[in-house]
Amino acid sequence: MHKIMLVDDHPVFRNGLKTLITSDPDFEVVAETDNTSEAFGLYESLKPDICVVDVTLKDSSGLDLVKTIRDRHSDAKILVLSMHSEDFYAERALKAGAKGYVMKEQASEDIINALRAIAKDQIYLSQRMMNRLFSKTYGQKKDLSLSPIDSLTDRELEVLQMISDGKSVKEIAFALGLSHKTVETHRSHIMHKLGIGTSNELLQFAIHWKIDHQAKNA
C-alpha cells in the first residue's frame, strides 16, 4: 500500500480527495495539511511515497514546496493537483521537480491513474500536454528566445493569471491568503519585469497574454 500525503488549503476539496484516494486499496492517506511549513515537517517525519500538492497555498506557492522537498529528497515523488490550467503550470511543475500535473476539474480516475504512474516512477500529464512538450523539445522549429513571462516567479505568474481573470488586488489577496501590500508588491515586480507602466496596461497585457497563450495551445 502506497502512503499519500495531501497538501491543499481547501478543506472540502481535501476531504473529497482523501475519500477518493482511500477508496482504492492500493493507497492510504497518512497525512494532510493546508500549509507548506507544516507539510515539510510531516514529509520529513513520515516519508510518504507520494505527496499531492496544490499550486495555490496561503503561505507560499505549492511549487516552492515541491522545490524544497526535492532539494532535500531527490527521489521524492510529487503530484501537483491544481485548479489552474496545465497550459500555465504543468511545465513549471515538472521543472520544480514534480512527477505529474493534474487539473482539479479532470475526472477522478485521472487522479488515481496519476498516482499509479508516479508510484512506478513515471511522469503523468494529459496526452495533450505530453504532445505539446514533445513538440517543443523535438519539433523542427524551435524558438530559443525567452519570453519575459519566463522571468516571473511562480507566485508572480499566479498573480498575473488572476489579473488576467479580472480579479482585483483585494480578491487576489483573499484567494492567496496574502496581504494587500504583498499582492501590490508582486504586481509592481511583474510590471517592472514586463516593462509595463500602468495598472491598466498590466490588465490589458494579462488578458491578451492569456488569450494568445490559449490560442497557441488549442
Side-chain angles (χ1 to χ4, degrees):
M1 182 176 288
H2 301 289
K3 298 185 297 182
I4 311 296
M5 185 174 86
L6 308 179
V7 187
D8 192 296
D9 61 1
H10 295 84
V12 174
F13 179 83
R14 193 172 67 245
N15 288 338
L17 182 60
K18 180 179 180 180
T19 299
L20 169 66
I21 293 173
T22 54
S23 67
D24 190 295
D26 291 333
F27 301 108
E28 174 190 13
V29 175
V30 296
E32 54 183 294
T33 182
D34 62 358
N35 64 85
T36 59
S37 55
E38 185 177 41
F40 188 72
L42 286 171
Y43 190 92
E44 290 280 283
S45 62
L46 297 174
K47 298 295 191 298
D49 298 306
I50 303 174
C51 186
V52 181
V53 179
D54 190 5
V55 167
T56 302
L57 299 170
K58 291 183 177 179
D59 61 340
S60 179
S61 165
L63 298 190
D64 287 340
L65 175 61
V66 175
K67 294 172 186 175
T68 299
I69 292 176
R70 284 301 301 268
D71 283 345
R72 293 286 297 273
H73 304 277
S74 60
D75 60 344
K77 297 175 181 177
I78 305 172
L79 170 64
V80 174
L81 181 64
S82 177
M83 62 179 283
H84 297 300
S85 169
E86 62 184 3
D87 290 335
F88 298 110
Y89 285 100
E91 189 172 358
R92 282 190 177 227
L94 294 186
K95 288 179 179 178
K99 289 287 187 179
Y101 189 97
V102 176
M103 292 185 293
K104 289 182 176 180
E105 66 183 30
Q106 289 177 241
S108 57
E109 57 262 31
D110 289 331
I111 297 174
I112 297 299
N113 289 338
L115 291 175
R116 291 191 184 284
I118 292 173
K120 298 176 183 177
D121 207 26
Q122 299 172 352
I123 297 295
Y124 186 91
L125 295 171
S126 71
Q127 188 59 55
R128 187 182 73 85
M129 198 66 205
M130 289 290 284
N131 291 341
R132 175 187 163 191
L133 292 182
F134 184 87
S135 297
K136 182 177 180 180
T137 303
Y138 298 106
Q140 293 182 348
K141 295 182 179 180
K142 294 184 179 180
D143 182 5
L144 299 180
S145 62
L146 291 177
S147 163
I149 296 294
D150 295 322
S151 69
L152 302 183
T153 66
D154 296 327
R155 186 61 106 184
E156 288 166 358
L157 181 64
E158 201 170 4
V159 171
L160 180 64
Q161 184 174 359
M162 290 186 173
I163 291 173
S164 75
D165 291 333
K167 294 186 182 298
S168 66
V169 170
K170 182 178 180 180
E171 290 171 327
I172 295 172
F174 178 78
L176 299 179
L178 302 174
S179 68
H180 186 283
K181 183 177 179 181
T182 298
V183 175
E184 286 284 11
T185 298
H186 285 313
R187 288 177 75 256
S188 177
H189 289 166
I190 293 169
M191 292 169 69
H192 175 72
K193 290 179 178 180
L194 300 182
I196 293 173
T198 68
S199 296
N200 185 57
E201 288 175 354
L202 176 61
L203 176 60
Q204 293 303 314
F205 174 90
I207 292 172
H208 287 298
W209 163 73
K210 181 179 180 180
I211 293 172
D212 182 59
H213 193 85
Q214 290 176 335
K216 287 180 179 178
N217 296 292

